[in-house]
Amino acid sequence: MEQAVQQLKDWLNSESGQTVVITKQELDDVDTVHFSLESVDYRGAEEVIDDYLGDALILRGSGNTLNGDGELVPLPQPSYEIAVSGLQLHSAEAERAELQTDRAKYTLSFGQA
């Protein structure tokens, strides 16, 4: 596991039991998820059968996403996946982290509901 991935995993694990607000920007699409974080696991690409699934951090817990009408809708699974290929961790401060992957730009923040 790369150092930036381990650093992000450790930072997230230090905040388990709290709600993280995940803002993901992918091309022109922005998604916001409110996720009650229980634990964080790492999944290597060699652990999956599907070629399109790569290394990822798997956030375990439950969450909601904001739909187009601004309403919170429950996530379909008790997990949230952050693909970590090309991860660049720009900052990981007390309650906020900013990162970039090959797929998207993320802002993670705690202390907001």
Side-chain angles (χ1 to χ4, degrees), residues 39-57:
S39 65
V40 181
D41 295 317
Y42 174 79
R43 183 198 65 219
E46 65 280 353
E47 298 174 37
V48 292
I49 297 170
D50 298 321
D51 290 337
Y52 67 90
L53 294 174
D55 296 351
L57 289 179

Side-chain angles (χ1 to χ4, degrees), residues 5-25:
V5 175
Q6 183 65 53
Q7 185 179 357
L8 178 59
K9 182 177 184 266
D10 292 345
W11 181 80
L12 284 164
N13 273 320
S14 74
E15 301 291 341
S16 62
Q18 296 191 52
T19 297
V20 58
V21 178
I22 304 165
T23 304
K24 175 184 174 186
Q25 181 178 353

Side-chain angles (χ1 to χ4, degrees), residues 60-112:
R60 307 278 182 202
S62 60
N64 299 293
T65 186
L66 285 171
N67 68 12
D69 296 327
E71 300 169 332
L72 287 175
V73 178
L75 293 177
Q77 298 178 337
S79 63
Y80 184 88
E81 184 172 315
I82 299 175
V84 294
S85 177
L87 176 68
Q88 296 176 24
L89 189 57
H90 297 298
S91 67
E93 299 165 2
E95 294 182 347
R96 181 180 174 95
E98 294 182 3
L99 52 128
Q100 177 87 37
T101 69
D102 287 346
R103 291 187 181 177
K105 180 179 179 180
Y106 294 85
T107 301
L108 311 175
S109 56
F110 288 94
Q112 302 172 13

